Amino acid sequence: MKIKKTIISLILLIMIISISNISTAMTHYQTVATPTGIVTASALNVRQGPGTNYKIVTMVYKNEYIRIFAQIGDWYVIQTDKDYIGMVSKSYVRLIYPTGGTSTNQSGVSTNTGTNTSETNSNGLTQDEQETFDLINAQRTSAGLAALKVDSELQKVARAKAQDMVDKNYFSHTSPTYGSPFDMMKSFGIKYKAAGENIAGNSSNSGAVKAWMNSEGHKANILSNNYNYTGLAVVSSPKYGKIYVQMFIGK
C-alpha cells in the first residue's frame, strides 16, 4: 500500500513539474499585429520549436508568404503555403500590415488591433481584397516601386468582371458580357494612360499572388512602373474557391 502511495505521489509530482514548465513557457507567448508575413532571407529553416536546437520541419524562401499565429520570444509560430506548421526566427520575416490598419509597438506586437471584421473596410475592400492588395504592394515595395492606390471606380469594374466570370462560368480576359478589359474599362468610363489585368482562380489569397509572381506576364503587371492605381476583386467561386481580378491603370 505504501508503495502505491509513493508511486502516486511521484506521478503527481511529475505532473506538477510539467504543468509548471508549460506555464513558464507560455509567459513568452504574444499575439502578433498582423497574420501575414513575407520571408526576407534567401532560405529560412522552419523548426519544431523556438530555437536552433529544434529539428527542421521544412524551409521557406525569399518573398514567400507565411501565415503568422503568434510570437514566442524571438520566434514566430507560422503556417507555410504547403500547410507545414512550425517556427521561424522573426529576424528574417517582414510583417505585412493592412493599409491604414493596426498600430504596433517596436516588437511588432499589437497594441490596438483595429481589425475590421465587417464585410468591407475604410478602403471599401473586403478582408480578402485587402489582404491580397497588401501582398501585391509588398512585392512592389520589395522591388523598390511605389505602392499602388485603390481607385474606387476601377474597383467596381474589377468586381463586375470577377462576378461575371463566376456567373458565366468562364476563365478568360475576354468577357462574353463586357469584351476585353480595355473595352470594359471604356464602357465604365475609366480613363487611363496605361492599363492591364491579372486574373486567377485559387483557394487562398497568398496562393493567388504566388501564382501571379511565378508567371512572367502577371509579374510584369504587378511590378510595372506604368501603373499607380488598381481595382482588385475577390469573389467566391464553386470551381476554384475564389476568383481574383486585378485591374491596373496608370494616370
Side-chain angles (χ1 to χ4, degrees):
M1 192 71 178
K2 288 183 179 179
I3 295 173
K4 288 184 178 179
K5 287 183 178 179
T6 302
I7 292 172
I8 292 171
S9 297
L10 286 170
I11 291 172
L12 288 172
L13 180 60
I14 291 169
M15 288 177 67
I16 290 168
I17 291 171
S18 298
I19 292 169
S20 176
N21 287 338
I22 290 170
S23 298
T24 301
M26 288 299 285
T27 60
H28 297 289
Y29 175 94
Q30 296 172 297
T31 56
V32 181
T34 176
T36 308
I38 188 168
V39 178
T40 58
S42 297
L44 182 60
N45 292 327
V46 180
R47 296 182 179 272
Q48 290 180 339
T52 55
N53 56 316
Y54 288 91
K55 291 183 179 179
I56 296 171
V57 177
T58 185
M59 295 185 75
V60 287
Y61 300 93
K62 190 169 185 178
N63 291 335
E64 188 170 333
Y65 300 110
I66 54 176
R67 184 162 294 277
I68 303 172
F69 299 110
Q71 179 180 332
I72 298 177
D74 291 328
W75 293 74
Y76 288 138
V77 183
I78 65 107
Q79 178 184 15
T80 72
D81 267 347
K82 295 182 180 178
D83 288 334
Y84 285 98
I85 302 293
M87 302 194 70
V88 296
S89 171
K90 67 186 289 287
S91 300
Y92 303 104
V93 175
R94 179 161 62 89
L95 299 180
I96 300 174
Y97 298 100
T99 304
T102 310
S103 62
T104 63
N105 61 25
Q106 291 181 347
S107 300
V109 179
S110 176
T111 57
N112 179 10
T113 58
T115 303
N116 193 329
T117 56
S118 61
E119 183 182 355
T120 60
N121 60 21
S122 58
N123 280 342
L125 302 181
T126 65
Q127 290 181 346
D128 278 335
E129 289 167 351
Q130 183 68 61
E131 183 178 24
T132 308
F133 175 70
D134 291 334
L135 293 173
I136 291 292
N137 272 338
Q139 291 291 344
R140 285 180 64 88
T141 55
S142 291
L145 298 170
L148 294 169
K149 298 176 183 178
V150 176
D151 182 290
S152 59
E153 293 304 310
L154 191 60
Q155 183 67 23
K156 295 176 184 177
V157 183
R159 283 182 178 159
K161 173 66 178 289
Q163 193 60 56
D164 188 59
M165 288 174 67
V166 172
D167 293 343
K168 303 289 176 62
N169 192 27
Y170 70 92
F171 188 85
S172 172
H173 289 290
T174 302
S175 163
T177 308
Y178 302 105
S180 74
F182 314 106
D183 292 334
M184 188 175 183
M185 289 182 201
K186 184 177 180 180
S187 66
F188 275 76
I190 304 297
K191 295 180 180 180
Y192 56 84
K193 294 179 181 178
E197 179 188 72
N198 283 353
I199 59 175
N202 207 289
S203 60
S204 74
N205 303 329
S206 60
V209 177
K210 184 177 181 180
W212 280 339
M213 292 303 294
N214 286 334
S215 166
E216 186 176 346
H218 296 92
K219 180 179 179 180
N221 275 340
I222 290 171
L223 300 183
S224 175
N225 208 23
N226 293 325
Y227 304 136
N228 50 8
Y229 286 90
T230 188
L232 196 154
V234 183
V235 175
S236 295
S237 163
K239 186 174 183 179
Y240 299 100
K242 299 173 187 177
I243 282 289
Y244 297 79
V245 173
Q246 182 169 21
M247 292 182 167
F248 306 84
I249 59 170
K251 294 185 180 181

